[in-house]
Amino acid sequence: MQFPESWLREFCNPPLTTEQLADVLTMGGFEVEEVRPVAPPFTQVVVGEIKQAEQHPNADRLRVCQVDVGQGSLLNIVCGAPNARAGIKVPCALVGAELPPGEDGKPFAIKLGKLRGVESQGMLCSARELQLSDDHGGLLELPADTPVGQNIRDTLRLDDAVFTLKLTPNLGHVLSVYGVARELSALTNTPLTTPAIAPVAMGSSRVLPVKVSAPDLCGRFSGRVIENVNTQAATPAWMVDRLARCGQRSVTALVDISNYVMFEYGRPSHIFDLDKIHGALDVRWGRAGEQLKLLNGNTVTVDETVGVIADDREVESLAGIMGGDATAVSDDTKHVYVEAAFWWPDAVAGRSRRFNFSTDAGHRFERGVDPDLTVAHIERISQLIVDICGTPATVCGPIDDQQPAMPQPAPVTLRVARAAKVIGMPLTQAQCADVFRRLGLPVSEGEGTVTVTPPAYRFDLRIEEDLIEEVARLVGYQNLPEAAPLAPIVPRVRSESRRGAFAVRRALAGLGYLETINFSFVDEAWERDLAGNPDPVRLLNPIASQMSVMRSSLMGSLLQVVKHNTDRRADRVRVFEVGRVFTRDAAVPASDSTVRGIAQPMRVAGVAYGPASRQGWQGKQAPVDFFDVKGDVEALLSPRQAVFERAEHPALHPGRSARVLLDGQAIGFVGELHPRWRQQWELPQAPVLFELALDAVMARQLPHAEPVSRRQSTERDIAVVVPEGVTHQQLMQAVHAAPSEGLLRGATLFDIYRPKPGGEAAAHMAAAEKSLAVRLVLASDQDTLTDERIDGVVKAVVERLQADLGARLRG
């Protein structure tokens, strides 16, 4: 919000400089983002009146003007402006004047000179030459009653400053010059000037019928008919100037009046062409399919969630946002209807953004506008219309004021002790009560408490913390004591049984993977296809249609990286990501770091694509397979031993994927991409992926020392015949489950044999059997092993295999 300092000082004029005023506002909670002068420095520019303007004898586009600047004699000035004519008053730069710098950055000095043989004793100026605006169409014409010879900076108040405030959303009551002045008065203890708004004389009884059908949309609706106005009247220069310094260009007199009162008192209003309204007005919610052409030229379609003002035939206005083109005032308008209403903030908030535009009115109404002053502000608008656009036949009708649902602010109680604790300085009850009285808030005091009933315009006062904030800013943030925080410093030392996420990243980098960081927002199809998640966490306002849900797996993001690189002729890709995933879990409570019903675990995932290793002297490498990535996972989890069991995953090949278990707990999956998705992603080769729970990967076993055995180990090989369906894992579990008195130190499968049909061994083995050869390693730390003890352990292993797997020794 921006406004001129001079306008603010008409309501509240504390004895402060411009810089001090800016500091007070900023420390009071109204950040002054910028203070800039209305005009750049220039000197010796005065008001001049053109007495004569004759054609230049040697130039068709120049005129020789005789200009009175109050010095007793007329100045001879050559001017090329198209509007240079006798009888007007314009800025005149005297000889020796310095105008604002041009494109070269140097001040423009006015000297005595000749133009086409005629002496020129100065320069008549346009608004652009004084850098007051970009208008270069002609001389800047001044009002006829401007004193000749007066310094133009005094005439146009060019030593004024423009303030730009950066207001937070809770400060809707400060979105006007009067609102800022009200707060400035409280901050500086300076009297606030509140101009009296006298009702205009009524000369008509005409009233436009209005029905408020939606009290939850409009709490108060006021309106008045004004007949026989001159819509072609010119907006006064003082109003145009103030609007310009508020960042608003002049449009027409009626529009300017409405905008002026909005900047003055924060009251958006709308002026209808009365003759274009069909019958009565109805304030209601929209209906599906209704359309409205707005003043900005856009045509919008409303629904049941958008408020409108409609007549008996069609929708005429978006409630609290923008009027319609059908009832806009024009040069032919004769009678107008002035409307000022209170729209509930929740009924206006977000509606204009739905249609991809914003307005000053919507910006104010969605923050809350004073519902108590609709009638007073209509009187102010009416008086300005009569003064500026009035004719001898202009008459005003009575104000029709309907109040179907006025807000009822609830009292808020402040505990003085609580305020002192939060603010961090001692406070008395008298101090707190004085703050609220300075703000003009009704106050009642109790035992250690102060109760405030918020006025209608303070929509931001709802809870005790709001009152504490008012006390803090009126006391002055700069006056709060500076005290260093005191708190015990306890280092957060990570347990040695866990490694950090950075160590996991380094381990994967050491295995040849590159880290990638991706969005947590993914395509809904990825969740359905790759994660088997039919109900992902959806975004209310996605940044793109293909990023509409939160991911529950990292695989889709990594496949997208692979696809991006293969499309650019990369033949070998190794990437990983450490990131968060999001799944629904009703057991998750709400806290400062969690969202109710949403689990957010960390995962580590990787993908390998292309050759198993880079090409070297040995020639072209075989493509990466399941066992290459399985080895990477084992290296990542080392020294802990993971178990891999066959399992299915929506993203992985049903016969080339496994579930990863650690200490009996499933921590993730590893496997080759499913052929269906490989074809859909158009990948020449099948990538191999893994995804693991990060917490499980970060856990590690603490090393402990063991003495080196002084006795040599021994080995025994056995070959057993087992059914074809027996897996390596089942074999190793049975071997290690055999009673061995602690002598069995290791077991390795080193051969698998399946007999050929018709061969010699086929007579001893069934077609659905295979032979597994296992090497057993036995050792003792106490004594040398004997053949009897070794044979006993081997026998126990064979018996265990027979009992668990139906195995038999191969003959």
Side-chain angles (χ1 to χ4, degrees), residues 14 201 203 418 423 719:
R418 172 67 176 167
I423 295 174

Side-chain angles (χ1 to χ4, degrees), residues 736 738-746 777-781 785 789 793:
H736 288 286
S740 64
E741 302 177 4
L743 301 181
L744 182 61
R745 298 301 173 88
V777 179
L778 301 99
S780 173
D781 297 332
L785 294 179
R789 297 181 67 186
V793 174

Side-chain angles (χ1 to χ4, degrees), residues 172 226 241 255 298 307 348 416 435 439 466 542 640 655 680 698 788:
I226 304 180
D241 179 66
V255 175
N298 294 345
V348 177
V416 177
V435 164
L439 289 168
D466 296 331
R640 306 177 73 190
Q680 179 175 312
M698 291 196 304
E788 290 78 6

Side-chain angles (χ1 to χ4, degrees), residues 575-630:
V575 292
F576 77 92
E577 181 177 6
V578 176
R580 197 173 298 279
V581 298
F582 305 84
T583 60
R584 298 190 183 277
D585 186 350
V588 177
S591 70
D592 57 348
S593 60
T594 61
V595 177
R596 185 185 304 277
I598 305 294
Q600 305 177 53
M602 292 289 292
R603 301 270 180 85
V604 55
V607 60
Y609 171 87
S613 59
R614 299 188 183 277
Q615 183 173 346
W617 62 269
Q618 67 271 36
K620 187 174 181 180
Q621 298 295 306
V624 66
D625 60 16
F626 171 86
F627 297 101
D628 294 318
V629 177
K630 174 176 175 287

